Amino acid sequence: MHSDHALNFRHRPRRLRRTPALRDLVRETHLSAQDLIWPVFLCDGHDVVQDIPSMPGVQRLSIDRLIPAAQKAADLGIPAICLFPYTDPSLKTEACEEAWNPENLSNRAIRALKAAVPNLAVMTDIALDPYNANGHDGIVRDGHVVNDETVAALVRMALAQADAGADILGPSDMMDGRIGAIRDALEDAGHCDLTIMSYSAKYASGFYGPFRDAVGASGALKGDKKTYQMDPANRLEALRMIGRDLEEGADMVMVKPGLAYLDICREVKDTFGAPTYAYQVSGEYAMIEAAAANGWINGDTVMFESLQAFKRAGCDGILTYYAPKVAQMLAKG
Ligand code: PBG
């Protein structure tokens, strides 16, 4: 009589969803601590911990407070940390010289981390915004962000980070030609083994708002970043940017923001097969935290679900402010 049924009961997919053990057995993607890169905010001083109001649970740390936090992250199996400095406004200039000061906050933190937690990879950010009186990622002349002069500045910044001992350089500025220029300069300086994770497909996004508070760039920034960051409407352009950056010498590529751009992640992975990362940015974090604080969603469930989505979309890893929290939860099982 089975043929009379609309459903074919030879196939009951729910059989494999019945128990946690069966669900574990057929799970297609797995999130682990090894997938995570932890972005951290640095501030000057000693024994300083500053809350960031738009990112509840995230704090700016002075270097001495960062070290134990980084050690804990490494112990949990997190392979890399990514540094973002809050620069004193008095150090911001139009030429952004502080960006390549060997003794700037970020470079001091790299040295301290490599000395204290050598097995943790240290990633940097290469862009001028924390050091720029104009708040932009590039040098501003007559109201325009100038490309080639900015690239020259970024190269100096990259070399200072390389000399400080960084493991992964992360150009996030979206100037043209910066990957090739940085790669050539690294080779010339003997830093042939240094890896570059390019923020290749970085969109001009509203999701970066809380980050700009965290690094103190919101006040300085006039206008928007649409003349260098990508139009959120574009997909093929992202593929061209990824192809170009790999060609110019990037070892890994990134899509940013994350959740609203999962289609791009999948296509990048399928097209190039290169190590591909997504950045779950500050606004994504803030939205989850705000809804959870209101009791409107379960924050932990949504955190896991959103991170799992990046793995499902083909990403090799995720930059996320949740890294220590999720690694801790994964360790407990
Ligand atoms: C700066 C930079 C930004 C982020 C990482 N590097 C902000 C921007 O482009 O304005 C955003 C990260 C986040 O929102 O979490 N070049």
Side-chain angles (χ1 to χ4, degrees):
M1 292 301 110
H2 281 182
S3 56
D4 295 339
H5 287 282
L7 288 169
N8 177 353
F9 288 119
R10 287 180 187 156
H11 298 285
R12 291 180 187 268
R14 288 186 56 198
R15 287 177 197 132
L16 291 175
R17 299 180 203 136
R18 190 172 55 86
T19 68
L22 289 166
R23 292 195 293 271
D24 281 349
L25 211 52
V26 299
R27 185 161 301 120
E28 296 175 34
T29 51
H30 298 272
L31 180 68
S32 77
Q34 282 86 356
D35 300 320
L36 307 172
I37 298 175
W38 183 27
V40 294
F41 298 110
L42 300 169
C43 62
D44 256 312
H46 187 78
D47 201 18
V48 184
V49 177
Q50 294 170 342
D51 287 333
I52 301 160
S54 51
M55 299 181 73
V58 175
Q59 290 150 331
R60 294 186 201 108
L61 303 174
S62 54
I63 293 176
D64 59 305
R65 296 295 293 255
L66 174 69
I67 299 296
Q71 181 66 61
K72 200 169 161 213
D75 292 344
L76 285 166
I78 294 172
I81 197 166
C82 181
L83 307 180
F84 292 101
Y86 176 94
T87 306
D88 190 294
S90 69
L91 295 172
K92 299 185 189 200
T93 59
E94 302 222 325
C96 312
E97 294 98 336
E98 181 66 5
W100 53 89
N101 176 357
E103 292 304 320
N104 73 20
L105 178 57
S106 175
N107 291 332
R108 277 183 280 129
I110 296 170
R111 279 192 221 100
L113 280 166
K114 290 317 295 181
V117 198
N119 55 334
L120 183 69
V122 177
M123 174 167 166
T124 62
D125 189 68
I126 301 181
L128 300 178
D129 52 330
Y131 312 101
N132 196 340
N134 293 294
H136 275 289
D137 291 12
I139 291 169
V140 179
R141 291 247 177 271
D142 302 326
H144 296 288
V145 174
V146 291
N147 194 87
D148 303 2
E149 207 178 321
T150 298
V151 170
L154 297 171
V155 165
R156 301 178 76 168
M157 186 176 181
L159 289 172
Q161 295 174 349
D163 289 340
D167 298 288
I168 306 170
L169 302 182
S172 72
D173 53 283
M174 290 298 278
M175 297 300 121
D176 289 323
R178 90 273 206 218
I179 301 298
I182 291 170
R183 178 54 80 205
D184 290 349
L186 290 173
E187 289 286 328
D188 287 347
H191 292 294
C192 342
D193 291 330
L194 199 46
T195 64
I196 297 177
M197 181 188 292
S198 177
Y199 288 64
S200 303
K202 177 170 178 180
Y203 289 88
S205 169
F207 286 103
Y208 308 146
F211 173 97
R212 292 177 190 168
D213 294 341
V215 297
S218 329
L221 181 65
K222 293 165 207 79
D224 56 48
K225 300 191 177 183
K226 290 180 183 168
T227 70
Y228 46 107
Q229 298 180 348
M230 281 180 48
D231 182 344
N234 294 354
R235 168 184 142 252
L236 297 172
E237 186 186 358
L239 298 177
R240 292 200 300 275
M241 293 305 98
I242 301 271
R244 177 194 68 175
D245 286 1
L246 289 170
E247 193 87 345
E248 288 186 22
D251 305 288
M252 302 174 267
V253 291
M254 192 203 296
V255 175
K256 178 183 175 196
L259 214 54
Y261 298 85
L262 284 183
D263 56 328
I264 308 296
C265 296
R266 164 53 64 197
E267 218 168 342
V268 164
K269 188 66 190 177
D270 287 352
T271 305
F272 299 97
T276 303
Y277 299 80
Y279 197 142
Q280 182 184 50
V281 299
S282 57
E284 301 178 60
Y285 175 90
M287 287 198 306
I288 296 173
E289 288 301 304
N294 276 292
W296 296 337
I297 58 171
N298 179 314
D300 289 349
T301 305
V302 173
M303 170 187 75
F304 264 110
E305 193 176 324
S306 57
L307 293 171
Q308 188 91 66
F310 294 113
K311 295 300 299 287
R312 200 187 60 239
C315 293
D316 296 278
I318 310 122
L319 288 94
T320 174
Y321 301 100
Y322 283 122
K325 182 177 180 185
V326 77
Q328 183 86 58
M329 290 170 72
L330 287 165
K332 286 194 183 129

